[in-house]
Amino acid sequence: MSEKRKSVIITFKAKEKRSDKGADKVDIVRSVLPKGMQTYFFDATSLASGASVPAMDEDLIAYDVNQYESPIVTARLTKAEIEELSKNGNVAEVEEDQVCYAIGSQFGHLQFENQPSILAETVPAGVVQIKAPQGWPSSQGEGIRVAVVDTGIDYNHSDLKANYRGGVSFVAGASTPMDDHGHGTHCAGTVAAAINGAGVVGVAPSAYLYAVKVLDSSGSGSYSQIISGIDWCIQNGMRVVSMSLGGSGGSTALQNICNTAWSKGLLVVAAAGNTGASVGYPAKYKNVIAVSAIDSANALAGFSSRGPEVDICAPGVNVLSTTRGGAYGTMSGTSMACPHVAGAAAAVWGAHRFASNEQIWNLLAYYVDNLGAPGWDASFGYGRVNVDRAALALTPAPVIAKKGI
């Protein structure tokens, strides 16, 4: 009986620090695999918009991250292969892959009564609460690319299809980034449901939506899939990355790819978590904007994670948005708070088109509505995001420290 394989994430040393500077990292991984094993190493180039990882034996699926700052390969290896690879002088670290989940993803949160009329258009309470409509005359996020890294998007939904521009699936066998769960579609609607005379309206109703499917029909995935998805976002020119997902453990490779994305100019946002306790990963990292959840009365939601890594807060209780199959429903969670901030970033970036991601963050954090103790606190971060004030700012905001490890 052959030895069981498990998913691992291999971080290589920078090329100038490798013992064999001419060796390709994929070739190094292949060198420990059995001869004749047909492992396929996908990358952001081979997975263009609209593509997906095909249905195949999971042991044969690997991913090559082509980022100089984050030389990473994910693969499924045996214990003996891991030990051999760990001794290679070109390898910095081999770590076990971890499971991640959509945060607040149970369908029990969905309520399908009181749906918006097809003859009217509803601006959800959370979108109003962060003063997005007041900012729309300045910007609706026109053309700003927002990647929803999640379960996919129902790109046929009447409120989403106008702004949908493409995507990719890292879930093997999911032939398109179509949402087969519902969580990603709900988040996408909060970001950028279009103004079309019916349904609901998102925070940035003219932003471009991209579905980066890393979670399956049960709402679960792995850190290796998140890493692959973020790499795709970098390679395909995304501006904002919205991640309403997370796990309980840290990962060097996950932190590295988040740092690389930020250094490349992407603004990365993630849900803080729904444990009511400490912030999860990747939200815990400094170069990821961690979002806690508040209710309509501006009180911290009881389920919301909190702590020294929280950056900002947004509505996350009974949030009305799009759901798969062309429907609408309410969900609760920091998953719902996160896309409010991602949408806010898109709207503000549309008003300040030549700003960097750091400058957009400074605007978002400086022009908040403070809810807790003056300044920053562990529950609300710097405060509730305010699209209107940040979008209409006439001068750059002062530098605001990002929280996290």
Side-chain angles (χ1 to χ4, degrees):
M1 184 176 178
S2 59
E3 188 179 351
K4 186 177 180 180
R5 296 181 174 276
K6 64 180 179 180
S7 181
V8 295
I9 305 169
I10 307 123
T11 301
F12 285 79
K13 295 176 182 177
K15 208 150 194 177
E16 67 273 10
K17 295 181 179 179
R18 294 180 199 171
S19 56
D20 184 356
K21 296 179 176 59
D24 180 78
K25 59 186 187 298
V26 169
D27 291 337
I28 293 171
V29 176
R30 284 193 187 280
S31 71
V32 305
L33 297 173
K35 288 184 178 180
M37 185 172 179
Q38 299 297 312
T39 300
Y40 193 94
F41 290 80
F42 294 93
D43 59 35
T45 303
S46 62
L47 289 173
S49 183
S52 65
V53 175
M56 56 190 296
D57 185 341
E58 64 178 2
D59 283 348
L60 302 179
I61 298 173
Y63 193 84
D64 178 21
V65 175
N66 289 309
Q67 298 292 337
Y68 177 81
E69 301 89 342
S70 300
I72 298 167
V73 174
T74 71
R76 296 183 66 85
L77 305 177
T78 65
K79 182 179 179 181
E81 291 163 357
I82 292 169
E83 290 176 353
E84 183 178 350
L85 197 59
S86 298
K87 296 173 184 175
N88 190 296
N90 301 291
V91 173
E93 182 177 5
V94 180
E95 53 187 326
E96 190 168 340
D97 202 357
Q98 298 184 54
V99 177
C100 65
Y101 302 95
I103 297 176
S105 64
Q106 296 302 310
F107 285 113
H109 291 282
L110 287 172
Q111 301 171 4
F112 291 94
E113 68 273 16
N114 300 319
Q115 295 193 44
S117 167
I118 60 172
L119 302 177
E121 191 157 34
T122 301
V123 180
V127 176
V128 175
Q129 193 174 351
I130 64 170
K131 297 180 171 57
Q134 292 95 315
W136 289 341
S138 175
S139 165
Q140 295 180 14
E142 295 85 351
I144 302 299
R145 296 182 172 194
V146 182
V148 179
V149 180
D150 210 290
T151 61
I153 294 175
D154 179 357
Y155 44 77
N156 293 323
H157 197 294
S158 59
D159 277 356
L160 303 177
K161 61 184 179 181
N163 288 331
Y164 184 77
R165 289 297 184 276
V168 66
S169 172
F170 292 97
V171 176
S175 59
T176 72
M178 173 59 77
D179 189 0
D180 52 6
H181 178 281
H183 188 266
T185 297
H186 196 278
C187 293
T190 297
V191 174
I195 296 175
N196 59 6
V200 296
V201 182
V203 176
S206 294
Y208 289 170
L209 287 168
Y210 290 80
V212 180
K213 183 174 175 63
V214 300
L215 304 178
D216 63 18
S217 59
S218 69
S220 64
S222 65
Y223 281 11
S224 61
Q225 288 169 303
I226 299 176
I227 290 166
S228 304
I230 295 173
D231 180 41
W232 189 92
C233 291
I234 298 169
Q235 299 277 12
N236 287 274
M238 300 298 111
R239 303 293 291 278
V240 181
V241 178
S242 182
M243 297 189 289
S244 292
L245 47 71
S248 59
S251 160
T252 300
L254 181 59
Q255 184 173 24
N256 285 345
I257 198 68
C258 290
N259 290 343
T260 298
W262 193 277
S263 72
K264 298 280 188 179
L266 286 70
L267 192 143
V268 186
V269 188
N274 288 354
T275 65
S278 60
V279 174
Y281 299 88
K284 191 181 281 284
Y285 297 130
K286 185 175 183 180
N287 283 323
V288 178
I289 306 308
V291 185
S292 62
I294 57 172
D295 63 18
S296 59
N298 293 317
L300 185 71
F303 56 74
S304 180
S305 294
R306 70 286 310 265
E309 301 87 8
V310 170
D311 291 293
I312 205 164
C313 65
V317 178
N318 295 328
V319 174
L320 175 67
S321 186
T322 48
T323 58
R324 71 190 185 112
Y328 303 88
T330 60
M331 292 183 74
S332 295
T334 55
S335 275
M336 287 62 253
C338 172
H340 281 90
V341 174
V348 172
W349 223 328
H352 304 276
R353 291 195 172 264
F354 299 104
S356 67
N357 57 342
E358 286 282 354
Q359 290 170 321
I360 296 301
W361 155 247
N362 291 336
L363 286 165
L364 291 172
Y366 184 71
Y367 289 106
V368 293
D369 294 318
N370 189 267
L371 299 181
W376 177 90
D377 66 76
S379 294
F380 306 104
Y382 289 104
R384 185 188 66 205
V385 66
N386 184 316
V387 175
D388 182 39
R389 294 180 65 200
L392 294 177
L394 299 178
T395 57
V399 174
I400 307 294
K402 299 192 298 293
K403 301 297 181 176
I405 61 175

